[in-house]
Amino acid sequence: MKHFRLFSLFFLLFLSSSLFAQVSYNTFVASIMNQVNQDTVFKYERQLCGDTSCLIGGSSYTILSRNYNSTHNPKAAQYIYEKFQSFGLTTWYQNITSTNINVLARKTGTKYPNQYVIICGHYDDMPLGTTAPGADDNASGTVCVMEAARLLRNINLPYTIIFAAWDEEEKGLYGSKAYADTAFAHGDSIIAVLNFDMIAYDGNNDGQLDVNTNAASTPLANNYAQIVSLYQPTLIPQVTTSLNGGSDHQSFQQRGYQAILAIEDNSDFTPYYHTTNDLYSTLNKPYFIKMVKAGIAALVTIAGDFQITMQHTPIETGPSTSSRIATAIIKSSYKIATGTNQPRLYYSVNNGAFNYLTPSYSNLDTVKFTIPGQSTGTTIKYYIAAQDSAGTLISTLPSGGTGVNPPGTTPPATQFIYQVANITIVTIGNGTSTESYPIDRYYNYMRWQAIYTRSEIGTTGNISKIKFYQANAMSGVTNGPISIYMKMVSDETLATGNWDVVGHTTVFTGTINNLDSPGWLEITLSNPFSFNMSLNQNLLISIDRGYQAFLTSYPLYNYTTLTTYKSRRNRNDTEIPTSLTQSYYRANLQLEISASTGLINPVSGIPSEYNLKQNYPNPFNPVTKLQYEVPKTSYVTIKVYDILGREVATLVNANMEAGYYMYDFDASALSSGVYIYKMTAGTFEKTMRMMVVK
């Protein structure tokens, strides 16, 4: 059934642009996962795909095909049934038609027997004909279900687990649809469906897999991706949408259940799909075992409710040298430890050793930590840790840390980071007159430009945020896209004429939504702009609203009336008549500027070599941090490319002195997906991957 197109990637592990949440590591889950037996997995796989014979009904049999129209397919169903039954599970057939037979087994939950977690895969295959081995599609997913059933047969968990092997997926998701429809009609409580389809091919050995979801199932997809990363860190999950044609998870999604599909990377897809060459010998065996282990870890985590979830808004870089408060909301169905094993925050100053803090405030599931104030130029890394009272469940944020009694003694690979940075807030204009610019649309198409002079700005640095003073509240969004551009110009006034488009840097593309209260409307630039006083030039800011319908009402912005500083143009790039502009003006403006050119040197000393590090957090939405090292004064560029190799942003393009640097990259203007960032300095080149979430 699975017809593939270009995926939409949005590795969404976090609840919003500033709210982070994650699942936790559990030694019990790891112990079950590590009992996966590759000999057993490979035996089941070989028997299902006809690579070797098996026992069915006490007699030797070779399953040559599992096509729904083949006489061998009912034998495959019997083979799976007898395996489930041999594990001591309650086992049954769901007979839908004479050729459509689902095979199911149940392990009843100890706490929530009427709430179900389903682990599933389809056992039928393609192509038509006498031989259809279907080793990858989909003996592999079915084997994952069988191995899960074998391992969990004697394990008691809170939720009931349904082990399901669907039939006639290739014909049109018929088997899973029949079950999902029946479950919906009965009002069954299905809390999660984990569907495995084609999990044994990785041609380039990069460990990537896709986790397909829809909007409603995103929380489950996020959890699954995190569990994969936590328990099988060499696998790289990519949460995806737009799987055209689908697999059995979609039968449950259509009935409103949370359901996801784990499948091999669509960009590294088996070339033997739906052919007689989809053989056991073509599988990537180590990848297959990792995928089975990851699936079982997720099943045990969810059915056992083995999770500590932490939510936290990361501390932002800023000029304050005072103490900072880090707040975390920690939730679990297991009791969180108190006393000496209570939650901790670990922090490091300028890459020094980690110190820990206990909560300065605690109330129910909310804790607060007070990080001591630091001097300007200091970099602080930190992470938060919590464990259950039994000391078997450990969670760190960012995820990946370990250690219990006390929690989090081994840090995660990446930590949150902020700096006490020398940031200047420049305010230009104090006018109180109002007009519906610069974020409105006017006369079908609105383009606005204004110059802010070098003397008004007064400092060299990286412009990371701009703010316009909004005089009134307006509910809702601005009804369409907005693009903001900047460039350095020698002119101090803006001449009339056509829209100035030469040499612009796109600093923001997106939608402005936060118009519901008056005050400074803050826009974080996706591509911070370096303003250099030594160039003896001024700043031209341009806003392009695009050709859209009129807004029914406008937010009003304060402005200072100054002749020759305005520009409003229509969609034909011609000057709007003065009678329609009301006045020549420019908006009151604030600029947030770091004291450097946007690149902050967080560590003392000189590095010994060039280096570009993995961004963190990763995945991210929308801001991440890139660290790089320069051993001597060099011209450095760091650029971001999409997966097709098209340049989407230039982050660094400057002569940099020797030192350790960090760049805050805001990807608000980018769509969800995988991106490449590349550093070049002399003969040094290094490329890394990052994932944007939306």
Side-chain angles (χ1 to χ4, degrees), residues 260-301:
I260 59 98
L261 164 68
I263 190 169
E264 62 205 35
D265 182 11
N266 182 53
S267 63
D268 183 23
F269 194 63
T270 178
Y272 309 110
Y273 175 64
H274 283 189
T275 73
T276 56
N277 292 318
D278 185 5
L279 301 169
Y280 175 75
S281 60
T282 68
L283 304 182
N284 185 321
K285 310 301 192 303
Y287 177 80
F288 184 17
I289 293 298
K290 292 175 186 177
M291 291 285 277
V292 172
K293 286 185 172 182
I296 290 173
L299 175 65
V300 179
T301 296

Side-chain angles (χ1 to χ4, degrees), residues 272-531:
Y272 309 110
Y273 175 64
H274 283 189
T275 73
T276 56
N277 292 318
D278 185 5
L279 301 169
Y280 175 75
S281 60
T282 68
L283 304 182
N284 185 321
K285 310 301 192 303
Y287 177 80
F288 184 17
I289 293 298
K290 292 175 186 177
M291 291 285 277
V292 172
K293 286 185 172 182
I296 290 173
L299 175 65
V300 179
T301 296
I302 296 169
D305 201 18
F306 293 118
Q307 300 185 71
I308 298 175
T309 299
M310 292 195 286
Q311 299 173 4
H312 168 61
T313 300
I315 297 172
E316 294 186 353
T317 290
S320 175
T321 57
S322 301
S323 59
R324 304 290 188 93
I325 303 298
T327 300
I329 299 173
I330 303 174
K331 296 182 178 181
S332 179
S333 60
Y334 297 86
K335 184 179 179 181
I336 299 299
T338 58
T340 57
N341 295 327
Q342 66 185 305
R344 291 184 170 194
L345 182 146
Y346 294 83
Y347 73 98
S348 165
V349 177
N350 288 339
N351 283 339
F354 279 101
N355 303 298
Y356 76 88
L357 300 169
T358 55
S360 55
Y361 169 91
S362 180
N363 184 20
L364 299 177
D365 58 5
T366 301
V367 293
K368 296 181 180 181
F369 303 91
T370 302
I371 302 176
Q374 305 293 333
S375 59
T376 299
T378 301
T379 297
I380 298 92
K381 297 179 181 179
Y382 71 96
Y383 65 96
I384 302 168
Q387 68 173 67
D388 68 328
S389 58
T392 61
L393 194 58
I394 171 64
S395 179
T396 66
L397 188 65
S399 63
T402 57
V404 293
N405 302 324
T409 50
T410 300
T414 60
Q415 301 90 38
F416 296 116
I417 187 169
Y418 69 90
Q419 294 175 317
V420 182
N422 189 0
I423 292 177
T424 301
I425 306 297
V426 175
T427 302
I428 304 173
N430 57 3
T432 58
S433 300
T434 59
E435 176 56 71
S436 57
Y437 74 91
I439 314 295
D440 71 342
R441 275 190 303 274
Y442 185 73
Y443 197 56
N444 290 336
Y445 192 109
M446 205 289 287
R447 285 175 166 179
W448 175 88
Q449 292 183 314
I451 290 176
Y452 296 86
T453 67
R454 173 179 178 273
S455 61
E456 290 173 320
I457 296 172
T459 184
T460 291
N462 183 69
I463 302 172
S464 58
K465 294 179 182 179
I466 62 173
K467 304 177 185 180
F468 300 100
Y469 196 87
Q470 182 180 319
N472 73 313
M474 177 190 174
S475 60
V477 300
T478 61
N479 192 25
I482 178 173
S483 296
I484 303 175
Y485 311 91
M486 292 183 180
K487 76 171 184 176
M488 305 284 286
V489 294
S490 57
D491 295 336
E492 291 194 4
T493 60
L494 187 67
T496 59
N498 290 341
W499 173 259
D500 186 347
V501 297
V502 179
H504 276 180
T505 296
T506 303
V507 297
F508 179 85
T509 299
T511 300
I512 308 299
N513 298 312
N514 50 335
L515 301 175
D516 54 356
S517 61
W520 287 106
L521 173 64
E522 179 180 292
I523 302 171
T524 300
L525 304 185
S526 54
N527 187 20
F529 184 83
S530 292
F531 183 82

Side-chain angles (χ1 to χ4, degrees), residues 72 98 243 372 436 442 495 534 573 587 590:
H72 296 284
S98 60
L243 176 60
S436 57
Y442 185 73
S534 67
D573 288 337
Q590 276 191 355

Side-chain angles (χ1 to χ4, degrees), residues 94-106:
Q94 182 185 16
N95 295 292
I96 302 157
T97 68
S98 60
T99 61
N100 189 355
I101 305 170
N102 291 333
V103 187
L104 301 124
R106 179 174 59 244

Side-chain angles (χ1 to χ4, degrees), residues 575-598:
E575 181 73 14
I576 294 176
T578 302
S579 61
L580 295 178
T581 64
Q582 300 183 20
S583 61
Y584 289 77
Y585 47 70
R586 60 179 186 165
N588 294 346
L589 180 73
Q590 276 191 355
L591 301 173
E592 185 171 301
I593 308 175
S594 64
S596 68
T597 57

